[in-house]
Amino acid sequence: PVRPKLHTKPAGKDWVTFNDECWRNLRTWDIYIIDGQRGPRVAPGTYTVTLKVGERTFVQNLEVLKDPNSGASAADIQKQVAFALDCRDQLNHTVGLINNIELLRSELEAFEGSGKSKESEALAQLRDEALAIAAQLYDVNLTGAREDAFRSPMKVYGRLAAVAADINGSGIDFPPTDQQEGVYEVLSERVKVAQEAYKKFVDMSVPAFNKKFGAQIGRSVMKP
């Protein structure tokens, strides 16, 4: 899975810093998501491994064996891998939305700082709309500090990553539980709602703002 890159700071938290590439990590506390960020494992079988070093390519077959102590069937393992791949794909989709809305928010901040906007109300409305979309996907109050865990509820990204971590790290060789699948469906619906809001934002709100102010907001951001 890819990782989110935040390009804005939480409101009123100017002390939050960015790295040399002008972004910061989305750091989540008190919920284990590391295994979800590592991605799924493969099912037992024969695979082709390709290693490229400069202009040289090395190819070799690799056989992945089932743990002899595992009581799961091959079908169980395949179901687990399929669910883990679904989690990974949904995580990547969510991160894509986060990264895009973060870039748009940073562009709006830069536009505001340039002094080109003569009607702050229109800019504030667009900024609030972008913030509302971001807030559906991740906790926009995160600063990276340990105390963040006590301040705001977990949003879609953290919850999806937790489900992925659960199946990848604790699923052993068994298929997903009914509860895991149920939570995944709920979170997927939330991603869909955020996706629709984002599409409306970039298809209608942003172009209208650009036309009004002669701005270039969102030209480098991919459409949904």
Side-chain angles (χ1 to χ4, degrees):
V2 293
R3 302 289 185 92
K5 295 181 178 180
L6 305 185
H7 294 270
T8 61
K9 300 178 181 181
K13 304 293 191 303
D14 290 338
W15 50 267
V16 173
T17 59
F18 297 120
N19 60 22
D20 293 340
E21 297 179 350
C22 296
W23 58 271
R24 61 189 179 93
N25 288 312
L26 196 168
R27 188 168 186 177
T28 303
W29 293 94
D30 278 6
I31 186 168
Y32 187 76
I33 65 174
I34 294 176
D35 283 335
Q37 293 175 324
R38 289 173 178 159
R41 293 165 291 185
V42 299
T46 301
Y47 298 85
T48 300
V49 179
T50 302
L51 173 65
K52 294 183 179 181
V53 183
E55 297 181 355
R56 303 175 66 187
T57 300
F58 304 88
V59 179
Q60 182 173 320
N61 288 337
L62 173 69
E63 185 177 4
V64 176
L65 302 176
K66 178 187 173 185
D67 183 348
N69 297 312
S70 171
S73 66
D76 288 339
I77 298 174
Q78 291 289 354
K79 288 179 181 179
Q80 183 195 92
V81 173
F83 182 72
L85 288 170
D86 286 343
C87 289
R88 181 206 61 189
D89 292 345
Q90 192 66 279
L91 266 176
N92 284 346
H93 179 58
T94 302
V95 170
L97 290 173
I98 291 174
N99 289 344
N100 279 348
I101 200 68
E102 278 292 298
L103 285 172
L104 285 165
R105 292 180 64 207
S106 67
E107 289 182 11
L108 287 171
E109 289 182 356
F111 185 80
E112 182 177 22
S114 69
K116 296 178 181 179
S117 173
K118 297 179 181 179
E119 297 183 33
S120 58
E121 183 177 347
L123 179 60
Q125 181 177 349
L126 194 66
R127 190 174 58 241
D128 289 346
E129 189 176 346
L131 177 63
I133 296 170
Q136 295 180 57
L137 300 168
Y138 81 97
D139 179 5
V140 295
N141 298 306
L142 290 175
T143 65
R146 176 67 178 80
E147 293 78 12
D148 286 343
F150 307 104
R151 295 187 176 120
S152 303
M154 192 70 60
K155 299 297 182 177
V156 171
Y157 172 77
R159 295 178 186 273
L160 267 175
V163 173
D166 203 37
I167 193 69
N168 291 337
S170 305
I172 314 300
D173 283 341
F174 295 104
T177 64
D178 293 342
Q179 290 86 349
Q180 288 170 331
E181 291 181 328
V183 170
Y184 174 81
E185 290 177 5
V186 169
L187 296 176
S188 295
E189 282 300 313
R190 293 181 184 179
V191 174
K192 183 178 179 180
V193 170
Q195 166 76 30
E196 292 172 351
Y198 174 78
K199 187 177 188 303
K200 179 181 177 181
F201 183 71
V202 297
D203 286 349
M204 300 175 63
S205 301
V206 172
F209 181 86
N210 286 339
K211 182 177 180 181
K212 184 173 184 177
F213 293 105
Q216 302 289 323
I217 304 297
R219 296 297 173 87
S220 60
V221 175
M222 293 183 64
K223 290 290 185 70

